[in-house]
Amino acid sequence: MGLISSVLTLPIAPIRAVLWLGELIQDQVEQQLHDPATIRRELEEIDEAAAAGRLTDDEKAAAQQAVLNRMIRPDTGAPPI
């Protein structure tokens, strides 16, 4: 029975592989987005840009809030790619 089902599902194997790869990429991206080191680096870059005069105080506050919201906000449960 396993051999027959393997032969019958062989045509959809590339589709399953692409879906698996998409899920793997999505997991990696989510881990990187929520990584504390990445968040700290982004906050430091925002501070440096503000100190160099490339950001106004409002832009700095909005950028920091966006980074912190991404860290705090739970996943929205969006469907995978």
Side-chain angles (χ1 to χ4, degrees):
M1 192 71 164
L3 179 61
I4 294 173
S5 64
S6 296
V7 170
L8 292 176
T9 59
L10 190 59
I12 63 169
I15 296 170
R16 290 176 28 201
V18 169
L19 290 175
W20 173 78
L21 184 59
E23 291 172 358
L24 182 66
I25 291 171
Q26 181 181 11
D27 290 343
Q28 290 295 320
V29 167
E30 287 177 359
Q31 285 179 3
Q32 188 173 10
L33 282 176
H34 299 293
D35 181 35
T38 302
I39 291 171
R40 180 184 305 164
R41 190 175 332 111
E42 289 179 9
L43 290 172
E44 289 172 355
E45 289 173 0
I46 292 168
D47 287 339
E48 290 172 6
R54 294 188 308 257
L55 293 176
T56 65
D57 288 338
D58 291 337
E59 291 171 333
K60 177 184 174 185
Q64 287 175 334
Q65 190 61 47
V67 171
L68 294 175
N69 285 344
R70 191 180 74 218
M71 180 181 71
I72 296 169
R73 189 172 297 146
D75 292 336
T76 58
I81 298 173

